[in-house]
Amino acid sequence: MTWIIQAFLSLIIAISFAIIFNAPRKKLLACGVVGMSGWMIYSGYSILTGDSVQASFAGAFVVALAAHILSKRFKMPMILFSVPGIILLVPGGLAYNAMRNVVENDYLTAISFASRAFMTSGAIAMGLVFAEVLMQLIFKYLRKKETTSHNA
Amino acid sequence: MLNEKKDLAIDCCLLAGRLMIESGAETYRVEDTMTRMAISQGLIGTQSFITPTGIMFSLGRDGSTRLMAIRHRVTDLEKVALVNQVSRKLTTNELTIEEAYEELQKVASANLMFPFFLQIIAAAIASGSFLILFEGSWWDVPAATIAGGIGFVVATFIHDITRVKFFAEFLAAAFVGIVAFLAILLNLGADLNIIIISGVMPLVPGLLITNAVRDLMAGHFTSGVSKGAEALLTAFAIGAGVALVLSF
């Protein structure tokens, strides 16, 4: 039951951010689905291993894969689908906690929050880049295969 | 004659680049789009240097170099999609360069944003939903929803009046803190911290942080560092705004 609620809420959040970021109107649902898949992978992975940094990597990887597939399908830039989807994974709470501790003069806690936020955002960026490289390799392979079959 | 055409092509590339950066596209995509548009107009060997605050675009040895300053940035994905469409059509010769320039100018002057009340509702709903995803109790949802909506309204209004982004975010975070504090005081909420975190989620620079790291990884150090600085300032403004309320 909690899984259904989580899936539904992550869909709603991704669509809401798509509205705030003014994504094209007809693609709102697609943005929502990308965000939902990313969040479900993230929360499933973090329950399995208990490591939120690895889970962020997995979630961002899935978001980027989904965004890539949709961008090829609709012939639109990938950023349209990845931005509302990635927001769910982004360590906003950690960044906020870090800054709150800084302004409250608790620097040690702040540093630990800040380094976790930095690690998480690094993992997200790596997930995005890895997925992009993987998709480029796949598309290159498919194109090569197509041209050789044409020649034969 | 030849020069006039070249000038128009450069104008077109620069306008497309400016629109994309202003709407929040990635640095490497802007570079890629500008190069493709230039090649389709027969300009070979162009060089572009792109930062979040300006574009330099050069034709190489036998042409002029142009500069375009960029003053404000928002996230407007629809404009990114539209510019992408124009550049796609230009490279497949569906549009002439004159038509493409006209289209781009139409995109530049158009206001394609969702109506403001819809954005407020979206921000409010996102805050309320985040509270559940962060494992808060259902009892706190109304407080987080209201806090998120008010925070977003304040951020937009103050930004429109003062044009200082960080001041707007500071005040918005303070308002989120006040709403959360009042909710606890009136016994309409249980956990102050989680209400504030959910309420500031529409404001936090999560996207900027991720984009900054991504630009750094791609080797665009100027963009990466300046986006990182912007994200740091925003996070600082939000943290300070909340702390201002909590210190009373």
Side-chain angles (χ1 to χ4, degrees), chain A:
Chain A
M1 190 57 199
T2 48
W3 287 104
I4 300 171
I5 292 176
Q6 287 218 346
F8 181 69
L9 286 179
S10 53
L11 183 82
I12 297 275
I13 294 178
I15 291 179
S16 308
F17 274 101
I19 290 175
I20 295 176
F21 292 149
N22 195 34
R25 281 154 179 69
K26 285 173 192 155
K27 300 290 176 284
L28 286 181
L29 194 64
C31 295
V33 172
V34 171
M36 184 175 81
S37 56
W39 175 263
M40 292 319 276
I41 295 287
Y42 167 81
S43 64
Y45 197 105
S46 56
I47 286 172
L48 277 180
T49 63
D51 187 342
S52 71
V53 173
Q54 283 178 28
S56 299
F57 174 82
F61 191 80
V62 170
V63 165
L65 278 189
H68 238 286
I69 292 166
L70 286 174
S71 79
K72 287 280 172 205
R73 169 107 172 58
F74 295 126
K75 289 203 168 22
M76 279 173 157
M78 172 196 163
I79 184 175
L80 252 65
F81 306 103
S82 64
V83 164
I86 216 76
I87 279 285
L88 279 151
L89 306 173
V90 136
L94 288 174
Y96 155 77
N97 265 330
M99 270 309 163
R100 197 188 139 188
N101 281 301
V102 167
V103 292
E104 284 176 348
N105 287 335
D106 189 352
Y107 299 118
L108 275 180
T109 325
I111 287 173
S112 91
F113 272 121
S115 32
R116 263 172 64 203
F118 186 74
M119 283 296 288
T120 312
S121 50
I124 290 173
M126 266 169 81
L128 291 174
V129 172
F130 278 24
E132 221 161 281
V133 172
L134 183 75
M135 288 308 273
Q136 267 169 17
L137 289 178
I138 290 175
F139 281 121
K140 212 178 259 175
Y141 174 74
L142 286 180
R143 227 175 292 141
K144 205 184 255 176
K145 212 170 160 189
E146 217 167 76
T147 48
T148 45
S149 65
H150 275 305
N151 291 342

Side-chain angles (χ1 to χ4, degrees), chain B residues 214-233:
Chain B
R214 200 156 164 232
D215 272 350
L216 286 176
M217 275 191 185
H220 291 286
F221 295 116
T222 325
S223 305
V225 170
S226 52
K227 277 179 191 167
E230 195 179 348
L232 203 70
L233 272 176

Side-chain angles (χ1 to χ4, degrees), chain B residues 82-102:
Chain B
L82 287 173
V83 174
N84 188 58
Q85 231 168 36
V86 172
S87 92
R88 218 178 257 274
K89 278 184 185 162
L90 184 70
T91 43
T92 52
N93 289 325
E94 265 177 73
L95 287 176
T96 63
I97 185 82
E98 287 88 2
E99 282 167 346
Y101 191 63
E102 230 168 77

Side-chain angles (χ1 to χ4, degrees), chain B residues 82-181:
Chain B
L82 287 173
V83 174
N84 188 58
Q85 231 168 36
V86 172
S87 92
R88 218 178 257 274
K89 278 184 185 162
L90 184 70
T91 43
T92 52
N93 289 325
E94 265 177 73
L95 287 176
T96 63
I97 185 82
E98 287 88 2
E99 282 167 346
Y101 191 63
E102 230 168 77
E103 288 269 312
L104 284 177
Q105 271 179 331
K106 247 185 252 165
V107 174
S109 57
N111 181 15
L112 306 159
M113 293 302 259
F114 277 95
F116 187 51
F117 74 92
L118 210 60
Q119 290 184 35
I120 301 169
I121 292 172
I125 290 176
S127 294
S129 313
F130 260 120
L131 189 115
I132 299 297
L133 286 193
F134 290 157
E135 286 155 8
S137 70
W138 290 92
W139 181 239
D140 289 344
V141 170
T145 309
I146 294 169
I150 288 183
F152 189 79
V153 172
V154 170
T156 315
F157 264 121
I158 303 290
H159 186 233
D160 277 352
I161 296 171
T162 62
R163 292 273 145 217
V164 183
K165 192 169 156 246
F166 304 111
F167 182 63
E169 275 148 357
F170 173 79
L171 273 189
F175 268 88
V176 170
I178 289 170
V179 170
F181 191 70

